């Protein structure tokens, strides 16, 4: 079923030949990361194996907060003894954040779909199953379970569908080459996934403060290169005042990307007095993945980000310089 994309036999052996796993993901997990970790853990447990989902957190995004208690943030000696690690939705140990020291020295396999992930970049070695064409890691896991001949439960398939919906922006990012994604979605729905319920889980439940912050950030948008690039910022005082939990970057992107003539969007947040995060989104043409890599981050062609030392005005200047090369 998984056309042209064979699950590596090494990964199948890695899973079949052991009974104890830590299922890790990247820090600041999103729906794809959480959905992958929980569905895979649950499926492995049904095979009679031990599988413990681990995450350094923080669980900032509204849509994943409800699962925080299922994750272990500091596996102890008992948890680690004889365990193998499967890391999802990233392919370098540092992306697991505070979890990395706990995973050191354990055999590890990565399952990822980020183009910037690679064998060499996985640092300490380990097995990397990378498919940049996959719309989400849950999509890869859906087929992995099929190859392992594990029929997913309704709960597992809901989690896998949730990840697929998260990473595709509820299918808005799928283009004319994406029919396989809908084939997969149809199968997930036949097995119990519910798009209406998933949509509400993804986009409902926002705080009023998150709407107020959205308004502030919209009112501060600056337009560059004849409106092809829009930049907005979140000041340090705002993240203190409104809380990071209320962030709704997806809605912000949606609003900004609906502006006529827009090709890319950059959001700079002053996270601490010394550090910012930057996230980029682009429509088809512009490769913001390479811009993020150039600035020390990573991601996809149309969605990327980084964490960087400095204050907003100085980082804005760097972003403008980077875009000047391509515009
Ligand atoms: Mn993902």
């Amino acid at each position: 079923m998984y056309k042209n994309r064979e699950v590596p036999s090494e990964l199948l052996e890695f899973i079949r030949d052991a009974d104890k796993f830590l299922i890790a993901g990247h820090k600041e997990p999103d729906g794809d990361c959480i959905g992958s970790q929980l569905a895979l853990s649950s499926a492995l447990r049904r095979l009679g194996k031990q599988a413990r989902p681990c995450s350094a957190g923080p669980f900032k995004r509204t849509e994943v907060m409800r699962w925080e208690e299922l994750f272990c943030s500091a596996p102890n000696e008992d948890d680690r003894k004889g365990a193998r690690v499967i890391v999802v939705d990233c392919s370098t140990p540092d992306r697991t954040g505070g979890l990395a020291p706990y995973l050191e020295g354990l055999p590890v396999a990565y399952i990822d779909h980020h183009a910037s992930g690679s064998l060499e970049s996985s640092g300490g070695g380990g097995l990397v199953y990378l498919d940049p064409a996959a719309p989400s890691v849950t999509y890869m896991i859906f087929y992995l379970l099929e190859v392992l001949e594990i029929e997913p439960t309704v709960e597992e398939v809901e989690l896998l569908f949730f990840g697929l919906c998260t990473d595709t922006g509820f299918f808005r990012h799928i283009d004319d080459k994406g029919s396989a994604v809908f084939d997969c979605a149809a199968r997930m729905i036949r097995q119990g996934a519910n798009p209406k319920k998933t949509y509400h889980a993804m986009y409902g439940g926002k705080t009023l403060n998150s709407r107020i912050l959205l308004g502030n950030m919209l009112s501060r948008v600056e337009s560059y290169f004849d409106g092809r690039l829009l930049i907005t910022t979140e000041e340090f005082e705002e993240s203190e005042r409104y809380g990071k939990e209320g962030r709704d970057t997806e809605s912000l992107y949606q609003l900004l990307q609906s502006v006529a003539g827009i090709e890319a969007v950059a959001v700079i947040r002053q996270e601490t007095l010394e550090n910012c995060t930057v996230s980029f989104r682009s429509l088809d043409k512009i490769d913001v993945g390479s811009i993020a890599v150039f600035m020390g981050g990573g991601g996809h062609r149309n969605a990327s980000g980084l964490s960087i030392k400095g204050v907003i005005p100085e980082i804005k200047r760097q972003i403008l310089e980077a875009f000047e090369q391509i515009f």
Side-chain angles (χ1 to χ4, degrees), residues 17-319:
D17 295 351
D19 290 321
K20 188 172 174 184
F21 293 90
L22 298 175
I23 312 295
H26 56 78
K27 60 185 174 186
E28 288 178 41
D30 58 9
D32 185 33
C33 191
I34 296 299
S36 298
Q37 288 180 265
L38 291 179
L40 183 58
S41 300
S42 161
L44 293 183
R45 272 189 230 116
R46 289 192 297 112
L47 286 185
K49 300 175 189 287
Q50 290 181 52
R52 181 135 211 230
C54 304
S55 177
F59 285 68
K60 286 184 187 172
R61 301 165 207 252
T62 336
E63 73 275 16
V64 301
M65 277 175 192
R66 79 195 98 136
W67 288 302
E68 180 166 6
E69 62 190 33
L70 301 179
F71 287 82
C72 160
S73 59
N76 61 30
E77 207 42 54
D78 259 5
D79 298 324
R80 299 169 57 230
K81 198 174 172 207
R84 290 184 175 183
V85 183
I86 300 176
V87 181
V88 300
D89 208 25
C90 64
S91 35
T92 56
D94 59 300
R95 289 282 295 127
T96 65
L99 213 51
Y102 296 100
L103 308 180
E104 237 174 73
L106 299 175
V108 59
Y110 297 90
I111 306 177
D112 189 19
H113 67 134
H114 292 89
S116 55
S118 76
L119 258 172
E120 313 95 74
S121 68
S122 79
L127 181 61
V128 183
Y129 173 30
L130 181 72
D131 181 3
S136 69
V137 172
T138 60
Y139 180 91
M140 297 170 75
I141 289 178
F142 186 68
Y143 289 106
L144 171 66
L145 296 187
E146 188 173 87
V147 175
L148 288 168
E149 296 177 327
I150 312 173
E151 180 82 27
T153 62
V154 169
E155 202 189 7
E156 286 159 14
V157 93
E158 278 178 331
L159 287 161
L160 295 173
F161 187 70
F162 184 77
L164 180 62
C165 291
T166 303
D167 270 21
T168 60
F170 215 83
F171 306 103
R172 280 176 296 117
H173 309 322
I174 307 292
D175 62 15
D176 56 348
K177 293 176 208 73
S179 64
V181 181
F182 285 90
D183 290 338
C184 176
R187 295 184 54 204
M188 288 176 169
I189 293 166
R190 276 196 293 276
Q191 293 179 39
N194 181 334
K196 185 175 170 179
K197 191 171 139 192
T198 305
Y199 186 89
H200 189 74
M202 279 175 68
Y203 296 112
K206 309 289 188 214
T207 62
L208 178 58
N209 271 344
S210 75
R211 311 294 90 177
I212 295 171
L213 178 60
L214 209 52
N216 292 355
M217 293 179 80
L218 277 178
S219 68
R220 214 179 290 136
V221 175
E222 293 171 0
S223 170
Y224 295 94
F225 307 106
D226 297 323
R228 296 163 77 192
L229 172 66
L230 297 181
I231 300 184
T232 190
T233 57
E234 181 178 329
E235 305 294 334
F236 180 64
E237 300 77 50
E238 286 173 320
S239 48
E240 294 266 278
R241 181 165 169 197
Y242 296 113
K244 293 180 181 175
E245 309 74 36
R247 286 182 178 173
D248 181 14
T249 322
E250 272 321 306
S251 301
L252 183 65
Y253 295 140
Q254 260 186 64
L255 288 162
L256 295 179
Q257 288 186 320
S258 64
V259 175
I262 177 74
E263 289 177 29
V265 168
V267 179
I268 314 169
R269 291 192 156 98
Q270 192 75 50
E271 302 284 355
T272 67
L273 291 172
E274 295 89 32
N275 260 288
C276 286
T277 53
V278 180
S279 53
F280 295 112
R281 289 294 182 277
S282 68
L283 303 183
D284 288 333
K285 258 197 329 218
I286 305 294
D287 180 6
V288 290
S290 60
I291 290 182
V293 169
F294 173 72
M295 294 181 68
H300 306 276
R301 181 179 174 82
N302 298 128
S304 64
L306 61 132
S307 177
I308 187 170
K309 221 171 156 56
V311 292
I312 288 172
E314 136 194 355
I315 288 155
K316 194 186 289 175
R317 206 158 44 235
Q318 290 180 39
I319 292 172

Side-chain angles (χ1 to χ4, degrees), residues 1-7 129 131 133:
M1 266 315 287
Y2 200 23
K3 281 178 233 137
N4 307 321
R5 295 189 205 115
E6 289 288 312
V7 179
Y129 173 30
D131 181 3

